[in-house]
Amino acid sequence: GAVVSQHPSRVICKSGTSVKIECRSLDFQATTMFWYRQFPKKSLMLMATSNEGSKATYEQGVEKDKFLINHASLTLSTLTVTSAHPEDSSFYICSAQGRAGGNNEQFFGPGTRLTVL
Amino acid sequence: AQRVTQPEKLLSVFKGAPVELKCNYSYSGSPELFWYVQYSRQRLQLLLRHISRESIKGFTADLNKGETSFHLKKPFAQEEDSAMYYCALKWGSSYKLIFGSGTRLLVRP
């Protein structure tokens, strides 16, 4: 099956710094990648949809200047949390969707736990 | 607005007992419904989708448009079924998924 990786799996940073999270589709080309945020014991909340070569589409209430998304290639999307604050601490999950082939399944990464001190 | 509701946060059953995880959705059009499962320390993975009409690991789910439900069922629960289960809705031409809040299934020996 399709594999999606995320790096790093865990990051701790000081308040005010920026953190970059990578999402890679390892064995398929992902035309669309999604970034989710999951709070403890809560559901996944879609933050943004990222299409290769174009600007990301952010969900209502998500600050695009705070959460910078880049989808430079068909196998890589990055999420940068700028000037991180403790309230940004969360579990960030990406998913990748390949080219249409009758199957629009999203394949999920293992997630990145961000802790901002 | 589109919404997915999973009323139970936790469902605890004994091994061999039937299981039904409830999911209701709100959407005026023709939705595409999914069940995702997350085992302990593992990533989220697709369990089944309504258009496939398949049974995966003994689980089935039928879309009931009249009741706007997509409940997940298994006649005989196994301990390895213990996990977090999320119902999700994909709507219209969008590829976006809306997730329910999840139900933790605990199958006791």
Side-chain angles (χ1 to χ4, degrees):
Chain A
V3 179
V4 176
S5 70
Q6 278 184 245
H7 178 78
S9 58
R10 185 183 297 265
V11 57
I12 301 173
C13 69
K14 292 182 178 180
S15 184
T17 61
S18 294
V19 175
K20 180 184 283 188
I21 302 170
E22 292 186 348
C23 177
R24 293 181 184 272
S25 57
L26 298 184
D27 50 2
F28 69 103
Q29 293 183 326
T31 51
T32 305
M33 287 185 171
F34 303 87
W35 287 95
Y36 296 86
R37 184 172 178 176
Q38 186 176 33
F39 292 98
K41 299 186 179 180
K42 299 284 187 181
S43 185
L44 284 77
M45 299 298 296
L46 180 65
M47 298 174 65
T49 303
S50 168
N51 290 296
E52 185 263 338
S54 62
K55 290 184 178 180
T57 302
Y58 291 80
E59 294 301 301
Q60 190 174 9
V62 178
E63 300 176 58
K64 60 180 65 178
D65 294 330
K66 173 76 170 176
F67 299 99
L68 299 179
I69 292 172
N70 183 277
H71 193 162
S73 76
L74 286 171
T75 59
L76 173 64
S77 176
T78 60
L79 166 68
T80 301
V81 183
T82 63
S83 187
H85 290 283
E87 57 265 30
D88 298 325
S89 298
S90 193
F91 196 56
Y92 293 88
I93 302 172
C94 75
S95 71
Q97 185 168 8
R99 294 187 184 278
N103 184 347
N104 292 327
E105 181 177 348
Q106 288 186 30
F107 297 94
F108 286 81
T112 296
R113 183 163 301 285
L114 171 62
T115 302
V116 185
L117 303 176
Chain B
Q2 296 74 26
R3 181 178 293 179
V4 177
T5 304
Q6 293 180 250
E8 304 141 327
K9 286 188 177 181
L10 172 66
L11 184 62
S12 180
V13 301
F14 286 103
K15 176 183 174 182
V19 167
E20 181 178 68
L21 287 80
K22 291 183 167 49
C23 172
N24 288 90
Y25 66 91
S26 173
Y27 179 57
S28 58
S30 293
E32 193 170 342
L33 276 296
F34 303 81
W35 276 100
Y36 282 83
V37 60
Q38 188 171 29
Y39 300 102
S40 179
R41 301 179 191 276
Q42 295 187 28
R43 68 188 67 195
L44 201 65
Q45 57 185 287
L46 179 66
L47 180 62
L48 54 80
R49 52 200 302 173
H50 90 268
I51 60 173
S52 300
R53 296 180 177 273
E54 56 195 346
S55 173
I56 302 294
K57 298 184 179 182
F59 285 97
T60 59
D62 293 317
L63 178 61
N64 186 323
K65 291 186 177 181
E67 296 183 357
T68 61
S69 69
F70 188 56
H71 302 327
L72 183 67
K73 300 177 183 179
K74 184 169 183 176
F76 307 103
Q78 302 299 314
E79 289 181 67
E80 55 265 29
D81 295 329
S82 295
M84 196 74 184
Y85 290 81
Y86 294 95
C87 183
L89 162 71
K90 186 160 71 175
W91 49 278
S93 59
S94 166
Y95 293 134
K96 296 193 289 188
L97 289 173
I98 298 171
F99 284 88
S101 55
T103 298
R104 180 168 297 281
L105 173 63
L106 178 61
V107 182
R108 300 176 182 275

